[in-house]
Amino acid sequence: MTPLKKVGVSCRHLSLSYGPVQVLKDIDLDIQPGEFFALLGPSGSGKSTLLRAIAGFNRHQGGQLLIDGRDVGGVPPHQRNVGMVFQNYALWPHMTVWDNVAFGLVERKVSRAEIKRRVQEVLEMVGLAQYAKRRPSMLSGGQQQRVALARTVVVEPQVLLLDEPLSNLDKNLRVQMREELKSLQRRLGITTIFVTHDQEEAMTTADRMAVLDKGVLQQVGTATTLFDFPANTFVAGFVGTANLLAGRIVSVNGDTLRFEAGGLGELAFPSGAMAPRVGDAAMAFRPHQVVIQPGSATVDATRVWVDGQVESSEFLGEFARYRVRVGNVAMLADQTHFSGHPLFAPGAVVKLGIEPNQVRFLAS
């Protein structure tokens, strides 16, 4: 395919309402040229609305939407030079794979020779050249998704939009297809924005992601940034799994921060450079950052240790996840599984060791 110009997409104080309901609230966002970018959030967060606004299917009422520096607020969808792959693929059932892929080029009155060249090239790119004469009903879900991608890419859009592209596939095929998606995007260099509620899908595929909740942009960054340094309790709980303990920072004196967790009591941590001020806060840390030991074990002083009792466990293959009651608080602790190592039984008295430099204090 012809090398495509890489373009950026920007939102400037973008707002959008359906009647009295404000769905997008003052969105400020910059997506870099050639970037693979994810919009991540729960149902009703506004991520699909934002994607459709970029496509031109939803009209924003406030702010600006820029593609390659050009304000496209008043530009109809077919003039924006963006391509969109819908969740249900939206293939023509009566057409062959070849005709489905060629459809957009025919509508654009591209010459027959050019259509033949571009369709053949893109079908080979997605590994479907041998299925050109089949109809969608004769293809698997993964193959149908490739057809939808090929049909969109063949018209050479400046921006590729993907709305929950893998949600209709089983788990193993989703893993395969997200790898193929990323490989295709890298080959084309096309700015790609995809919507998902699946954090694993976003974290393994996107260069960066934006987390939305209730129409508000919560945080933008790489997967590691959002996982390691969440901006607030929503991001901490949505990107990965987190222990979130509400409480209060009682004092920060010298090298020591004292945090009083509701129902747990006061804990002391190294203050660190990232510690917030005294006041209401939430303490966040990941289950895999907690060591679980028998209640009788001798423990080291490098961690903050609390006593607890196992309430339940889940064996997840690579690790076991324990729910442990500590005072009035339930904590999650992950333990890597090795053959021959028995699980802690419900009711077992244990010690939990929290790694101090992995704890994040988030302002309430």
Side-chain angles (χ1 to χ4, degrees), residues 36-66:
F36 202 144
F37 195 89
L39 299 174
L40 179 66
S43 297
S45 62
K47 57 188 186 299
S48 290
T49 300
L50 179 54
L51 192 79
R52 294 177 68 86
I54 295 169
F57 301 136
N58 290 335
R59 183 72 182 270
H60 58 278
Q61 291 86 27
Q64 289 182 304
L65 178 60
L66 309 174

Side-chain angles (χ1 to χ4, degrees), residues 22-44:
Q22 193 171 10
V23 183
L24 296 176
K25 305 172 185 177
D26 197 31
I27 302 293
D28 259 331
L29 179 63
D30 287 305
I31 298 168
Q32 301 302 315
E35 190 170 28
F36 202 144
F37 195 89
L39 299 174
L40 179 66
S43 297

Side-chain angles (χ1 to χ4, degrees), residues 31 41 57 74 95 97 118 126 130 168 181 187 189 201 203 216 244 258 265 270 319:
I31 298 168
F57 301 136
M95 290 184 178
V97 167
R118 285 165 65 173
V126 299
Q130 67 271 39
N168 293 332
L181 264 178
R187 290 174 61 187
E201 188 174 294
M203 293 172 73
V216 177
L244 293 168
R258 296 189 178 278
F319 63 93

Side-chain angles (χ1 to χ4, degrees), residues 104-153:
L105 298 176
V106 173
E107 289 292 299
R108 288 166 173 76
K109 296 181 171 53
V110 175
S111 70
R112 288 187 179 182
E114 181 67 5
I115 290 174
K116 182 177 180 180
R117 182 189 68 80
R118 285 165 65 173
V119 172
Q120 183 65 30
E121 183 179 3
V122 79
L123 285 178
E124 289 176 357
M125 187 181 298
V126 299
L128 290 178
Q130 67 271 39
Y131 300 102
K133 295 183 179 180
R134 296 190 183 183
R135 288 184 168 80
S137 61
M138 304 168 68
L139 304 177
S140 68
Q143 290 168 337
Q144 289 182 36
Q145 196 229 37
R146 291 192 191 103
V147 175
L149 272 171
R151 181 185 58 186
T152 305
V153 167

Side-chain angles (χ1 to χ4, degrees), residues 4 7 16 21 23 40 57 95 98 109 186 194 198-199 201 208 219 223 239 246 274 282 291 324 329 340 353 359 362:
L4 304 177
V7 303
L16 188 152
V21 180
V23 183
L40 179 66
F57 301 136
M95 290 184 178
W98 179 280
K109 296 181 171 53
R186 291 288 184 266
F194 78 105
D198 186 329
Q199 53 180 288
E201 188 174 294
R208 291 189 306 144
Q219 189 173 0
V239 180
M274 299 292 290
V291 170
V324 179
V329 175
V359 172
L362 307 174

Side-chain angles (χ1 to χ4, degrees), residues 99-278:
D99 290 335
N100 264 282
V101 174
F103 182 80
L105 298 176
V106 173
E107 289 292 299
R108 288 166 173 76
K109 296 181 171 53
V110 175
S111 70
R112 288 187 179 182
E114 181 67 5
I115 290 174
K116 182 177 180 180
R117 182 189 68 80
R118 285 165 65 173
V119 172
Q120 183 65 30
E121 183 179 3
V122 79
L123 285 178
E124 289 176 357
M125 187 181 298
V126 299
L128 290 178
Q130 67 271 39
Y131 300 102
K133 295 183 179 180
R134 296 190 183 183
R135 288 184 168 80
S137 61
M138 304 168 68
L139 304 177
S140 68
Q143 290 168 337
Q144 289 182 36
Q145 196 229 37
R146 291 192 191 103
V147 175
L149 272 171
R151 181 185 58 186
T152 305
V153 167
V154 77
V155 299
E156 300 181 348
Q158 289 184 306
V159 181
L160 177 62
L161 307 176
L162 308 172
D163 188 8
E164 299 273 9
L166 309 179
S167 61
N168 293 332
L169 307 177
D170 62 49
K171 183 177 180 180
N172 289 337
L173 190 53
R174 280 203 308 272
V175 172
Q176 176 188 337
M177 289 305 301
R178 73 191 186 203
E179 291 173 353
E180 292 185 13
L181 264 178
K182 192 169 185 177
S183 175
L184 179 63
Q185 192 271 343
R186 291 288 184 266
R187 290 174 61 187
L188 295 175
I190 187 172
T191 305
T192 301
I193 307 169
F194 78 105
V195 159
T196 181
H197 64 273
D198 186 329
Q199 53 180 288
E200 180 180 317
E201 188 174 294
M203 293 172 73
T204 55
T205 309
D207 298 315
R208 291 189 306 144
M209 64 184 84
V211 179
L212 289 94
D213 182 45
K214 298 176 182 175
V216 177
L217 188 61
Q218 301 292 322
Q219 189 173 0
V220 179
T222 63
T224 53
T225 296
L226 270 60
F227 190 86
D228 292 340
F229 300 99
N232 52 46
T233 54
F234 177 81
V235 176
F238 192 78
V239 180
T241 302
N243 289 294
L244 293 168
L245 306 184
R248 178 178 174 80
I249 296 175
V250 178
S251 65
V252 182
N253 295 322
D255 296 331
T256 303
L257 178 150
R258 296 189 178 278
F259 180 80
E260 186 175 357
L264 183 58
E266 191 172 288
L267 302 172
F269 294 89
S271 59
M274 299 292 290
R277 298 175 181 176
V278 169

